[in-house]
CSV table of all heavy atoms in Angstrom, one decimal:
chain,number,residue,atom,x,y,z
A,1524,ALA,N,-35.7,168.4,221.7
A,1524,ALA,CA,-36.9,168.8,222.5
A,1524,ALA,C,-36.6,168.2,223.9
A,1524,ALA,O,-36.3,167.0,224.1
A,1524,ALA,CB,-38.2,168.1,222.0
A,1525,ARG,N,-36.8,169.0,224.9
A,1525,ARG,CA,-36.5,168.6,226.3
A,1525,ARG,C,-35.2,167.9,226.5
A,1525,ARG,O,-35.2,166.8,227.1
A,1525,ARG,CB,-37.7,167.8,226.8
A,1525,ARG,CG,-39.0,168.6,227.0
A,1525,ARG,CD,-40.2,167.8,227.4
A,1525,ARG,NE,-40.7,167.2,226.2
A,1525,ARG,CZ,-40.9,165.9,226.1
A,1525,ARG,NH1,-40.6,165.1,227.1
A,1525,ARG,NH2,-41.4,165.4,225.0
A,1526,GLY,N,-34.2,168.4,225.8
A,1526,GLY,CA,-32.8,167.8,226.0
A,1526,GLY,C,-32.6,166.6,225.2
A,1526,GLY,O,-31.6,165.9,225.3
A,1527,ARG,N,-33.6,166.1,224.4
A,1527,ARG,CA,-33.4,164.9,223.7
A,1527,ARG,C,-33.5,165.2,222.2
A,1527,ARG,O,-34.2,166.2,221.8
A,1527,ARG,CB,-34.5,163.9,224.0
A,1527,ARG,CG,-34.4,163.3,225.4
A,1527,ARG,CD,-35.5,162.3,225.7
A,1527,ARG,NE,-36.8,162.9,225.5
A,1527,ARG,CZ,-37.7,162.5,224.6
A,1527,ARG,NH1,-37.5,161.5,223.8
A,1527,ARG,NH2,-38.9,163.1,224.5
A,1528,ARG,N,-32.9,164.4,221.4
A,1528,ARG,CA,-33.0,164.5,219.9
A,1528,ARG,C,-34.2,163.7,219.5
A,1528,ARG,O,-34.2,162.5,219.7
A,1528,ARG,CB,-31.7,164.1,219.2
A,1528,ARG,CG,-30.5,164.6,219.8
A,1528,ARG,CD,-29.9,165.8,219.0
A,1528,ARG,NE,-29.7,165.5,217.6
A,1528,ARG,CZ,-29.9,166.5,216.7
A,1528,ARG,NH1,-30.2,167.7,217.1
A,1528,ARG,NH2,-29.6,166.3,215.4
A,1529,VAL,N,-35.2,164.3,218.9
A,1529,VAL,CA,-36.4,163.6,218.5
A,1529,VAL,C,-36.8,163.9,217.1
A,1529,VAL,O,-36.5,165.0,216.6
A,1529,VAL,CB,-37.6,163.9,219.4
A,1529,VAL,CG1,-37.4,163.3,220.8
A,1529,VAL,CG2,-37.9,165.3,219.4
A,1530,ARG,N,-37.5,163.0,216.4
A,1530,ARG,CA,-38.1,163.3,215.1
A,1530,ARG,C,-39.3,164.2,215.3
A,1530,ARG,O,-40.2,163.8,216.1
A,1530,ARG,CB,-38.5,161.9,214.5
A,1530,ARG,CG,-38.5,161.9,213.0
A,1530,ARG,CD,-38.6,160.5,212.5
A,1530,ARG,NE,-37.4,160.1,211.9
A,1530,ARG,CZ,-37.2,160.0,210.6
A,1530,ARG,NH1,-38.1,160.3,209.8
A,1530,ARG,NH2,-36.0,159.6,210.2
A,1531,GLY,N,-39.3,165.4,214.7
A,1531,GLY,CA,-40.4,166.3,215.0
A,1531,GLY,C,-40.4,167.4,214.0
A,1531,GLY,O,-39.6,167.5,213.1
A,1532,ARG,N,-41.4,168.3,214.3
A,1532,ARG,CA,-41.6,169.5,213.5
A,1532,ARG,C,-41.4,170.7,214.4
A,1532,ARG,O,-42.1,170.8,215.4
A,1532,ARG,CB,-42.9,169.5,212.8
A,1532,ARG,CG,-43.2,168.2,212.0
A,1532,ARG,CD,-44.5,168.3,211.3
A,1532,ARG,NE,-44.5,169.3,210.2
A,1532,ARG,CZ,-44.0,169.0,209.0
A,1532,ARG,NH1,-43.5,167.8,208.7
A,1532,ARG,NH2,-43.9,169.9,208.1
A,1533,LEU,N,-40.6,171.6,214.0
A,1533,LEU,CA,-40.2,172.8,214.8
A,1533,LEU,C,-41.0,174.0,214.3
A,1533,LEU,O,-40.9,174.4,213.1
A,1533,LEU,CB,-38.7,173.0,214.7
A,1533,LEU,CG,-38.2,174.3,215.4
A,1533,LEU,CD1,-38.4,174.2,216.9
A,1533,LEU,CD2,-36.7,174.5,215.0
A,1534,TYR,N,-41.9,174.5,215.2
A,1534,TYR,CA,-42.7,175.7,214.8
A,1534,TYR,C,-42.2,176.9,215.8
A,1534,TYR,O,-41.6,176.6,216.8
A,1534,TYR,CB,-44.1,175.4,215.0
A,1534,TYR,CG,-44.7,174.4,214.0
A,1534,TYR,CD1,-45.0,173.1,214.4
A,1534,TYR,CD2,-44.8,174.8,212.7
A,1534,TYR,CE1,-45.5,172.2,213.5
A,1534,TYR,CE2,-45.3,173.9,211.7
A,1534,TYR,CZ,-45.7,172.6,212.2
A,1534,TYR,OH,-46.1,171.7,211.2
A,1535,PRO,N,-42.5,178.1,215.4
A,1535,PRO,CA,-42.1,179.2,216.3
A,1535,PRO,C,-42.7,179.1,217.7
A,1535,PRO,O,-42.2,179.6,218.7
A,1535,PRO,CB,-42.7,180.5,215.6
A,1535,PRO,CG,-42.9,180.1,214.2
A,1535,PRO,CD,-43.2,178.6,214.2
A,1536,TRP,N,-43.9,178.4,217.8
A,1536,TRP,CA,-44.6,178.3,219.1
A,1536,TRP,C,-44.3,176.9,219.8
A,1536,TRP,O,-44.8,176.6,220.8
A,1536,TRP,CB,-46.1,178.4,218.9
A,1536,TRP,CG,-46.6,177.5,217.8
A,1536,TRP,CD1,-47.0,176.3,217.9
A,1536,TRP,CD2,-46.7,177.9,216.4
A,1536,TRP,NE1,-47.4,175.8,216.7
A,1536,TRP,CE2,-47.2,176.8,215.7
A,1536,TRP,CE3,-46.4,179.1,215.7
A,1536,TRP,CZ2,-47.5,176.8,214.4
A,1536,TRP,CZ3,-46.7,179.1,214.3
A,1536,TRP,CH2,-47.2,178.0,213.7
A,1537,GLY,N,-43.4,176.1,219.2
A,1537,GLY,CA,-43.1,174.8,219.9
A,1537,GLY,C,-42.7,173.7,218.9
A,1537,GLY,O,-42.6,174.0,217.7
A,1538,ILE,N,-42.6,172.5,219.5
A,1538,ILE,CA,-42.2,171.4,218.7
A,1538,ILE,C,-43.3,170.3,218.8
A,1538,ILE,O,-43.8,170.0,219.8
A,1538,ILE,CB,-40.9,170.8,219.3
A,1538,ILE,CG1,-39.7,171.8,219.0
A,1538,ILE,CG2,-40.6,169.4,218.7
A,1538,ILE,CD1,-38.5,171.4,219.7
A,1539,VAL,N,-43.6,169.7,217.6
A,1539,VAL,CA,-44.5,168.6,217.7
A,1539,VAL,C,-43.6,167.3,217.4
A,1539,VAL,O,-42.8,167.3,216.5
A,1539,VAL,CB,-45.7,168.6,216.6
A,1539,VAL,CG1,-46.8,169.4,217.1
A,1539,VAL,CG2,-45.2,169.1,215.3
A,1540,GLU,N,-43.8,166.4,218.3
A,1540,GLU,CA,-42.9,165.2,218.3
A,1540,GLU,C,-43.7,164.0,217.6
A,1540,GLU,O,-44.8,163.7,218.1
A,1540,GLU,CB,-42.5,164.8,219.7
A,1540,GLU,CG,-41.6,165.8,220.4
A,1540,GLU,CD,-41.5,165.5,221.8
A,1540,GLU,OE1,-41.4,164.3,222.2
A,1540,GLU,OE2,-41.5,166.4,222.6
A,1541,VAL,N,-43.1,163.5,216.6
A,1541,VAL,CA,-43.8,162.4,215.9
A,1541,VAL,C,-44.1,161.2,216.8
A,1541,VAL,O,-45.1,160.6,216.7
A,1541,VAL,CB,-42.9,162.0,214.7
A,1541,VAL,CG1,-43.4,160.7,214.0
A,1541,VAL,CG2,-42.8,163.1,213.6
A,1542,GLU,N,-43.1,160.9,217.6
A,1542,GLU,CA,-43.2,159.7,218.4
A,1542,GLU,C,-43.8,159.9,219.8
A,1542,GLU,O,-43.7,159.1,220.7
A,1542,GLU,CB,-41.9,158.9,218.5
A,1542,GLU,CG,-41.4,158.5,217.2
A,1542,GLU,CD,-40.2,157.6,217.2
A,1542,GLU,OE1,-40.1,156.9,218.2
A,1542,GLU,OE2,-39.4,157.6,216.3
A,1543,ASN,N,-44.4,161.1,220.0
A,1543,ASN,CA,-45.0,161.4,221.3
A,1543,ASN,C,-46.5,161.0,221.3
A,1543,ASN,O,-47.2,161.7,220.5
A,1543,ASN,CB,-44.8,162.9,221.7
A,1543,ASN,CG,-45.3,163.2,223.0
A,1543,ASN,OD1,-46.2,162.6,223.6
A,1543,ASN,ND2,-44.7,164.3,223.6
A,1544,PRO,N,-46.9,160.0,222.0
A,1544,PRO,CA,-48.3,159.6,222.0
A,1544,PRO,C,-49.3,160.7,222.3
A,1544,PRO,O,-50.5,160.6,222.0
A,1544,PRO,CB,-48.4,158.4,223.0
A,1544,PRO,CG,-47.0,158.0,223.3
A,1544,PRO,CD,-46.1,159.2,223.0
A,1545,GLY,N,-48.8,161.7,223.1
A,1545,GLY,CA,-49.7,162.8,223.4
A,1545,GLY,C,-49.9,163.7,222.2
A,1545,GLY,O,-50.8,164.6,222.3
A,1546,HIS,N,-49.0,163.6,221.2
A,1546,HIS,CA,-49.1,164.5,220.1
A,1546,HIS,C,-49.9,163.9,218.9
A,1546,HIS,O,-50.5,164.6,218.1
A,1546,HIS,CB,-47.7,165.0,219.6
A,1546,HIS,CG,-47.1,165.9,220.6
A,1546,HIS,ND1,-45.9,166.5,220.3
A,1546,HIS,CD2,-47.4,166.2,221.9
A,1546,HIS,CE1,-45.5,167.2,221.4
A,1546,HIS,NE2,-46.4,167.1,222.3
A,1547,CYS,N,-49.7,162.6,218.7
A,1547,CYS,CA,-50.4,161.9,217.6
A,1547,CYS,C,-50.4,160.4,217.7
A,1547,CYS,O,-49.8,159.9,218.7
A,1547,CYS,CB,-49.8,162.3,216.3
A,1547,CYS,SG,-48.2,161.6,215.9
A,1548,ASP,N,-51.0,159.7,216.8
A,1548,ASP,CA,-51.1,158.2,216.8
A,1548,ASP,C,-49.9,157.5,216.1
A,1548,ASP,O,-50.1,156.3,215.7
A,1548,ASP,CB,-52.4,157.8,216.2
A,1548,ASP,CG,-53.6,158.3,217.0
A,1548,ASP,OD1,-53.5,158.5,218.2
A,1548,ASP,OD2,-54.6,158.5,216.3
A,1549,PHE,N,-48.9,158.2,215.8
A,1549,PHE,CA,-47.8,157.6,215.0
A,1549,PHE,C,-47.3,156.3,215.6
A,1549,PHE,O,-47.2,155.3,214.9
A,1549,PHE,CB,-46.6,158.6,214.8
A,1549,PHE,CG,-45.4,158.0,214.1
A,1549,PHE,CD1,-45.4,158.1,212.7
A,1549,PHE,CD2,-44.4,157.5,214.8
A,1549,PHE,CE1,-44.3,157.5,212.0
A,1549,PHE,CE2,-43.3,156.9,214.1
A,1549,PHE,CZ,-43.2,157.0,212.7
A,1550,VAL,N,-47.0,156.3,216.9
A,1550,VAL,CA,-46.5,155.1,217.5
A,1550,VAL,C,-47.5,153.9,217.4
A,1550,VAL,O,-47.1,152.8,217.2
A,1550,VAL,CB,-46.0,155.4,218.9
A,1550,VAL,CG1,-45.6,154.1,219.7
A,1550,VAL,CG2,-44.8,156.3,218.9
Side-chain angles (χ1 to χ4, degrees):
R1525 288 173 282 125
R1527 287 180 305 121
R1528 311 259 309 144
V1529 294
R1530 206 166 251 258
R1532 307 185 68 82
L1533 176 64
Y1534 293 109
W1536 49 89
I1538 290 169
V1539 277
E1540 295 168 40
V1541 170
E1542 298 191 28
N1543 184 334
H1546 292 187
C1547 74
D1548 298 327
F1549 175 87
V1550 172

